[in-house]
Amino acid sequence: MIHVYNTLTREKELFKPITPGKINMYVCGPTVYNYIHIGNARSSIAFDVVRRYFEYRGYDVNYVSNFTDVDDKIIKRAREQGVDEMTIANRYADAFHQDTLPLNIKPATVRSRATDVIPDIIVFVGDLIKKGYAYESEGDVYFRAKRFKGYGILAHQDLAEMEANAAGRLDDIELTRKEDPIDFAVWKSSHAEDEISWQSPWGKGRPGWHIECSVMAQKYLADTIDIHGGGIDLAFPHHTNEIAQSEARTGQTFVNYWMHNGFVNVNDEKMSKSLGNFTTVHDMLANYDDPMAIRYLLATTQYRRPINYSNDTLEQARVALDRIRTAYRNLSFRLETAVVGQDQAIENMIENQISNFESAMDDDFNTPNALASVFELVTTANTLAESRQVSLETVQHLLDTIAKLMSVFGIEDLSVQSDLTKEQSELLKSRTLARDTHDFEASDRLRQALRQLGIVVEDTPQGQRWHKA
Ligand SMILES: [Zn+2]
């Protein structure tokens, strides 16, 4: 039984899918005007872990996400660089794929761009006008926020507060066009000839930001979906407005479970360009050779809690991950020397830890508690690696279990050669062979060669082992 914390009710609720065995899930993606930052990566990884755990539990997950590829920031950047908007959007959409690949984030089932669904957006906006929820004003179309009952509930905002904030934010043009300061744009008229725009019943323009997610969730998933995710900063206004638009149009509940991930601080401060601690994934990957350690740090904190990203926390993540890799590797060596059979006491221990892992993940994806179970298995793996005699089936079962549980966190690279160069791993293979065929001369030569490449090889009564120097 999986329990999910629902931002809407502020309670952990028993998860019940609309269709048994299937999950329709929508997660807001980035605006593609720059490289994604560590906060975007955290959100992608948090919901990748949620998805992977549902898949581990046997669910078929339909995961839809978007690229916002038309908005003020993209238009501004295109102007600065003297290129068109799609050049900017294409460049950073490609960069998103390149940056998320080393972090082992599964591709969405559908990844749609706002500009792929413009005709659907125009139909959607037209329906909102027909129903009296939206109105045209000098080429813009605004949503009547107060007309939607329960506006602001998701982020627990009250109307008076929202009104005060909205009035302070508006420029003069918007103030004169809106009936009410808290109304929000679903369609924006284009201001300049050279700006990207589409023909619509309200003249040339482009969609407001919030509308694309309402349209895509409905187009690629359903009127009512199981899970909608995103960073907690999106609860208002973005998700608040998505609920209003979608439910105004269909009259149905839009989302059954709203899930929001916590912030990432950098060196204990909120990340911002003015503080000079703005961290893009592109730079992180260029300056750090173990992307799985980055993934480990971002995946093993409970998704709603804040994460502090610093050289220290990253190093701690790497050390912890290396403990798991080393245990996995050392136990793998024992496959050669194990005797056929099972060790019932250890089998029971493995089953207990699988059950603890699942209880932790069932409890709103409590990854730190789930990880504690993996470390119990790692301790057992270390003990077995040193034991005089081990049972083959149990060694294999323990290895498979550690790998399977770590793959829920998206860390699938625990294999013996995971953190080695191709040359190092070829030499290790040759040395194993030399040792097995009692070619002591070759085996000594290979040990020297490996030593020069930073790998220390030891022969133990339990077989060959190695570690980094
Ligand atoms: Zn969105």
Side-chain angles (χ1 to χ4, degrees), residues 5 25 30 111-112 143 195 207 226 241 271 297 317 352 369 374 397 400 443 445 448 468:
Y5 181 87
M25 178 169 177
R111 165 87 51 191
S112 173
F143 187 95
E195 188 176 289
D226 295 295
N241 293 350
M271 185 173 67
L297 173 62
N352 276 339
N369 286 358
V374 174
H397 187 200
D400 293 346
S443 132
R445 184 168 38 78
Q448 291 301 326
K468 288 192 170 178

mmCIF file of all heavy atoms in Angstrom, residues 5 25 30 111-112 143 195 207 226 241 271 297 317 352 369 374 397 400 443 445 448 468:
data_model
loop_
_atom_site.group_PDB
_atom_site.id
_atom_site.type_symbol
_atom_site.label_atom_id
_atom_site.label_comp_id
_atom_site.label_asym_id
_atom_site.label_seq_id
_atom_site.Cartn_x
_atom_site.Cartn_y
_atom_site.Cartn_z
ATOM 1 N N TYR A 5 1.994 11.921 -0.134
ATOM 2 C CA TYR A 5 1.625 13.218 0.452
ATOM 3 C C TYR A 5 1.022 14.093 -0.651
ATOM 4 O O TYR A 5 1.655 14.331 -1.675
ATOM 5 C CB TYR A 5 2.858 13.908 1.042
ATOM 6 C CG TYR A 5 2.537 15.249 1.692
ATOM 7 C CD1 TYR A 5 2.134 15.313 3.021
ATOM 8 C CD2 TYR A 5 2.617 16.432 0.958
ATOM 9 C CE1 TYR A 5 1.830 16.535 3.617
ATOM 10 C CE2 TYR A 5 2.311 17.659 1.547
ATOM 11 C CZ TYR A 5 1.920 17.702 2.875
ATOM 12 O OH TYR A 5 1.613 18.906 3.459
ATOM 13 N N MET A 25 0.758 10.243 -15.197
ATOM 14 C CA MET A 25 1.556 11.164 -14.387
ATOM 15 C C MET A 25 2.071 12.294 -15.283
ATOM 16 O O MET A 25 2.579 12.045 -16.372
ATOM 17 C CB MET A 25 2.708 10.327 -13.834
ATOM 18 C CG MET A 25 3.710 11.019 -13.012
ATOM 19 S SD MET A 25 4.762 9.728 -12.242
ATOM 20 C CE MET A 25 5.905 10.807 -11.390
ATOM 21 N N PRO A 30 11.309 22.032 -17.964
ATOM 22 C CA PRO A 30 11.949 23.355 -17.926
ATOM 23 C C PRO A 30 11.561 24.265 -19.091
ATOM 24 O O PRO A 30 11.061 23.800 -20.112
ATOM 25 C CB PRO A 30 13.431 22.997 -18.031
ATOM 26 C CG PRO A 30 13.445 21.748 -18.847
ATOM 27 C CD PRO A 30 12.199 20.992 -18.490
ATOM 28 N N ARG A 111 7.242 13.677 -24.418
ATOM 29 C CA ARG A 111 7.827 14.981 -24.054
ATOM 30 C C ARG A 111 7.343 15.956 -25.127
ATOM 31 O O ARG A 111 7.769 15.893 -26.264
ATOM 32 C CB ARG A 111 9.349 14.868 -24.034
ATOM 33 C CG ARG A 111 10.107 16.172 -24.019
ATOM 34 C CD ARG A 111 10.375 16.788 -22.678
ATOM 35 N NE ARG A 111 10.978 15.906 -21.712
ATOM 36 C CZ ARG A 111 11.100 16.220 -20.406
ATOM 37 N NH1 ARG A 111 10.678 17.397 -19.971
ATOM 38 N NH2 ARG A 111 11.631 15.374 -19.567
ATOM 39 N N SER A 112 6.405 16.794 -24.763
ATOM 40 C CA SER A 112 5.799 17.682 -25.750
ATOM 41 C C SER A 112 6.299 19.105 -25.551
ATOM 42 O O SER A 112 6.606 19.525 -24.444
ATOM 43 C CB SER A 112 4.279 17.624 -25.596
ATOM 44 O OG SER A 112 3.669 18.578 -26.429
ATOM 45 N N PHE A 143 -8.035 34.764 -17.762
ATOM 46 C CA PHE A 143 -8.910 33.843 -17.022
ATOM 47 C C PHE A 143 -9.460 34.580 -15.804
ATOM 48 O O PHE A 143 -8.706 35.210 -15.055
ATOM 49 C CB PHE A 143 -8.104 32.617 -16.577
ATOM 50 C CG PHE A 143 -8.958 31.539 -15.967
ATOM 51 C CD1 PHE A 143 -9.429 30.478 -16.736
ATOM 52 C CD2 PHE A 143 -9.307 31.572 -14.615
ATOM 53 C CE1 PHE A 143 -10.225 29.486 -16.180
ATOM 54 C CE2 PHE A 143 -10.103 30.593 -14.058
ATOM 55 C CZ PHE A 143 -10.567 29.544 -14.834
ATOM 56 N N GLU A 195 8.509 39.183 -33.342
ATOM 57 C CA GLU A 195 8.376 38.244 -32.227
ATOM 58 C C GLU A 195 7.590 37.022 -32.706
ATOM 59 O O GLU A 195 6.659 37.167 -33.498
ATOM 60 C CB GLU A 195 7.592 38.990 -31.144
ATOM 61 C CG GLU A 195 7.475 38.324 -29.835
ATOM 62 C CD GLU A 195 6.741 39.268 -28.858
ATOM 63 O OE1 GLU A 195 7.328 40.279 -28.440
ATOM 64 O OE2 GLU A 195 5.574 38.996 -28.558
ATOM 65 N N PRO A 207 0.674 31.559 -26.489
ATOM 66 C CA PRO A 207 0.011 31.130 -25.257
ATOM 67 C C PRO A 207 0.647 31.732 -24.005
ATOM 68 O O PRO A 207 1.843 32.044 -23.998
ATOM 69 C CB PRO A 207 0.201 29.608 -25.263
ATOM 70 C CG PRO A 207 1.251 29.307 -26.272
ATOM 71 C CD PRO A 207 1.352 30.450 -27.199
ATOM 72 N N ASP A 226 -3.724 10.836 -12.435
ATOM 73 C CA ASP A 226 -3.401 10.354 -11.085
ATOM 74 C C ASP A 226 -2.496 11.321 -10.341
ATOM 75 O O ASP A 226 -2.793 11.722 -9.224
ATOM 76 C CB ASP A 226 -2.709 8.982 -11.178
ATOM 77 C CG ASP A 226 -3.639 7.923 -11.735
ATOM 78 O OD1 ASP A 226 -4.642 7.606 -11.072
ATOM 79 O OD2 ASP A 226 -3.375 7.434 -12.858
ATOM 80 N N ASN A 241 -3.145 27.814 -11.335
ATOM 81 C CA ASN A 241 -3.816 28.228 -12.569
ATOM 82 C C ASN A 241 -4.149 27.038 -13.463
ATOM 83 O O ASN A 241 -5.175 27.028 -14.139
ATOM 84 C CB ASN A 241 -2.960 29.247 -13.311
ATOM 85 C CG ASN A 241 -2.848 30.555 -12.532
ATOM 86 O OD1 ASN A 241 -3.557 30.744 -11.532
ATOM 87 N ND2 ASN A 241 -1.983 31.452 -12.959
ATOM 88 N N MET A 271 19.775 29.335 -4.223
ATOM 89 C CA MET A 271 20.517 29.535 -5.455
ATOM 90 C C MET A 271 19.974 30.758 -6.208
ATOM 91 O O MET A 271 18.776 30.884 -6.405
ATOM 92 C CB MET A 271 20.392 28.304 -6.343
ATOM 93 C CG MET A 271 21.236 28.376 -7.582
ATOM 94 S SD MET A 271 21.224 26.828 -8.496
ATOM 95 C CE MET A 271 19.531 26.773 -9.020
ATOM 96 N N LEU A 297 23.257 11.893 -4.547
ATOM 97 C CA LEU A 297 22.938 12.996 -3.628
ATOM 98 C C LEU A 297 21.496 13.473 -3.832
ATOM 99 O O LEU A 297 20.755 13.689 -2.870
ATOM 100 C CB LEU A 297 23.921 14.156 -3.859
ATOM 101 C CG LEU A 297 23.630 15.456 -3.093
ATOM 102 C CD1 LEU A 297 23.684 15.231 -1.583
ATOM 103 C CD2 LEU A 297 24.619 16.545 -3.492
ATOM 104 N N ALA A 317 28.360 11.980 -0.709
ATOM 105 C CA ALA A 317 27.548 11.108 -1.563
ATOM 106 C C ALA A 317 28.447 10.127 -2.313
ATOM 107 O O ALA A 317 28.160 8.940 -2.411
ATOM 108 C CB ALA A 317 26.726 11.940 -2.541
ATOM 109 N N ASN A 352 13.947 -9.803 4.668
ATOM 110 C CA ASN A 352 13.584 -8.772 5.647
ATOM 111 C C ASN A 352 13.930 -7.375 5.164
ATOM 112 O O ASN A 352 13.154 -6.434 5.320
ATOM 113 C CB ASN A 352 14.330 -8.994 6.973
ATOM 114 C CG ASN A 352 13.597 -9.989 7.829
ATOM 115 O OD1 ASN A 352 12.402 -10.195 7.633
ATOM 116 N ND2 ASN A 352 14.314 -10.608 8.759
ATOM 117 N N ASN A 369 15.298 6.237 4.448
ATOM 118 C CA ASN A 369 15.035 4.998 5.186
ATOM 119 C C ASN A 369 15.211 3.775 4.295
ATOM 120 O O ASN A 369 15.706 2.741 4.744
ATOM 121 C CB ASN A 369 13.620 5.014 5.781
ATOM 122 C CG ASN A 369 13.519 5.944 6.978
ATOM 123 O OD1 ASN A 369 14.517 6.543 7.395
ATOM 124 N ND2 ASN A 369 12.325 6.076 7.533
ATOM 125 N N VAL A 374 19.441 -0.846 2.201
ATOM 126 C CA VAL A 374 20.507 -1.219 1.263
ATOM 127 C C VAL A 374 21.826 -1.340 2.027
ATOM 128 O O VAL A 374 22.594 -2.281 1.804
ATOM 129 C CB VAL A 374 20.628 -0.184 0.111
ATOM 130 C CG1 VAL A 374 21.827 -0.508 -0.775
ATOM 131 C CG2 VAL A 374 19.345 -0.137 -0.712
ATOM 132 N N HIS A 397 21.893 -13.981 -5.094
ATOM 133 C CA HIS A 397 20.652 -13.334 -4.666
ATOM 134 C C HIS A 397 20.946 -11.980 -3.995
ATOM 135 O O HIS A 397 20.262 -10.986 -4.245
ATOM 136 C CB HIS A 397 19.898 -14.263 -3.713
ATOM 137 C CG HIS A 397 18.537 -13.766 -3.335
ATOM 138 N ND1 HIS A 397 17.869 -14.213 -2.223
ATOM 139 C CD2 HIS A 397 17.723 -12.842 -3.902
ATOM 140 C CE1 HIS A 397 16.697 -13.579 -2.140
ATOM 141 N NE2 HIS A 397 16.578 -12.766 -3.138
ATOM 142 N N ASP A 400 22.020 -9.485 -6.700
ATOM 143 C CA ASP A 400 20.860 -9.068 -7.506
ATOM 144 C C ASP A 400 19.960 -8.121 -6.719
ATOM 145 O O ASP A 400 19.399 -7.179 -7.275
ATOM 146 C CB ASP A 400 20.030 -10.286 -7.950
ATOM 147 C CG ASP A 400 20.790 -11.157 -8.942
ATOM 148 O OD1 ASP A 400 21.811 -10.686 -9.471
ATOM 149 O OD2 ASP A 400 20.358 -12.300 -9.186
ATOM 150 N N SER A 443 50.806 -12.609 -14.562
ATOM 151 C CA SER A 443 49.980 -12.057 -13.507
ATOM 152 C C SER A 443 50.733 -10.982 -12.713
ATOM 153 O O SER A 443 50.159 -9.945 -12.365
ATOM 154 C CB SER A 443 49.445 -13.237 -12.695
ATOM 155 O OG SER A 443 49.590 -13.077 -11.366
ATOM 156 N N ARG A 445 53.236 -9.113 -13.972
ATOM 157 C CA ARG A 445 53.418 -8.000 -14.914
ATOM 158 C C ARG A 445 52.126 -7.159 -14.959
ATOM 159 O O ARG A 445 52.164 -5.934 -14.920
ATOM 160 C CB ARG A 445 53.754 -8.584 -16.300
ATOM 161 C CG ARG A 445 54.059 -7.562 -17.362
ATOM 162 C CD ARG A 445 54.670 -8.197 -18.628
ATOM 163 N NE ARG A 445 54.099 -9.489 -18.997
ATOM 164 C CZ ARG A 445 52.929 -9.644 -19.621
ATOM 165 N NH1 ARG A 445 52.189 -8.604 -19.935
ATOM 166 N NH2 ARG A 445 52.498 -10.862 -19.927
ATOM 167 N N GLN A 448 51.669 -4.986 -11.919
ATOM 168 C CA GLN A 448 52.493 -3.760 -12.010
ATOM 169 C C GLN A 448 51.831 -2.718 -12.913
ATOM 170 O O GLN A 448 51.768 -1.538 -12.576
ATOM 171 C CB GLN A 448 53.883 -4.085 -12.595
ATOM 172 C CG GLN A 448 54.778 -4.911 -11.686
ATOM 173 C CD GLN A 448 55.026 -4.217 -10.363
ATOM 174 O OE1 GLN A 448 55.106 -3.000 -10.305
ATOM 175 N NE2 GLN A 448 55.125 -4.994 -9.279
ATOM 176 N N LYS A 468 41.047 1.174 -5.721
ATOM 177 C CA LYS A 468 41.813 2.295 -6.274
ATOM 178 C C LYS A 468 42.897 2.712 -5.279
ATOM 179 O O LYS A 468 42.648 2.687 -4.070
ATOM 180 C CB LYS A 468 40.877 3.455 -6.568
ATOM 181 C CG LYS A 468 39.994 3.170 -7.765
ATOM 182 C CD LYS A 468 39.274 4.418 -8.239
ATOM 183 C CE LYS A 468 38.612 4.141 -9.564
ATOM 184 N NZ LYS A 468 37.858 5.300 -10.055
#
